[in-house]
Amino acid sequence: MINDIEICKECHYMNIKDYSCRERHCRKCDNYGGKLLPADVRIIQRPVMVRIDCPHCDYEIEMQYSDFEGLMPSEYPGDWGGEVIECPNCNKQIEIDDYDWD
């Protein structure tokens, strides 16, 4: 919806053939509908898998996040530091030190 057609006549709105181009042009001129305001988009992710490289045998441990969460004392990642899990390949204990989110 054009707010003021007189403004569009001055900026040659009618010379733009394609409707979607006209619409984009009017949005740039702030003459289309209400003024558009920018918005940030936040993408919310859900963890699915956990990968841990065993420091003893270099075996790559993969498990479902829910299984890993069950091994930890808390759902809060800040509480995981110092927790110990066992490598299924060499059966040695691994201390959880740090974590990265992909």
Side-chain angles (χ1 to χ4, degrees):
M1 162 191 270
I2 307 294
N3 288 330
D4 185 352
I5 196 70
E6 293 304 312
I7 292 172
C8 290
K9 286 179 183 174
E10 289 175 20
C11 71
H12 307 290
Y13 163 80
M14 297 310 287
N15 292 338
I16 301 171
K17 302 276 188 240
D18 185 88
Y19 176 76
S20 64
C21 289
R22 276 192 218 167
E23 185 179 328
R24 280 195 304 259
H25 174 77
C26 289
R27 287 182 181 175
K28 287 181 184 175
C29 290
D30 290 332
N31 192 34
Y32 182 86
K35 182 172 174 147
L36 296 178
L37 299 174
D40 293 331
V41 175
R42 182 176 23 169
I43 299 171
I44 300 169
Q45 315 183 83
R46 182 175 159 207
V48 177
M49 293 292 294
V50 173
R51 287 192 183 109
I52 304 167
D53 293 324
C54 177
H56 303 287
C57 67
D58 290 329
Y59 180 73
E60 187 177 86
I61 304 164
E62 283 191 1
M63 66 179 79
Q64 295 290 323
Y65 180 79
S66 58
D67 294 340
F68 177 76
E69 209 173 25
L71 298 173
M72 296 296 106
S74 161
E75 292 179 5
Y76 177 64
D79 293 341
W80 297 346
E83 289 301 311
V84 176
I85 63 170
E86 188 175 291
C87 173
N89 188 52
C90 68
N91 297 324
K92 292 187 178 177
Q93 291 188 335
I94 303 168
E95 182 180 357
I96 304 297
D97 181 37
D98 198 9
Y99 51 88
D100 291 322
W101 298 88
D102 265 349

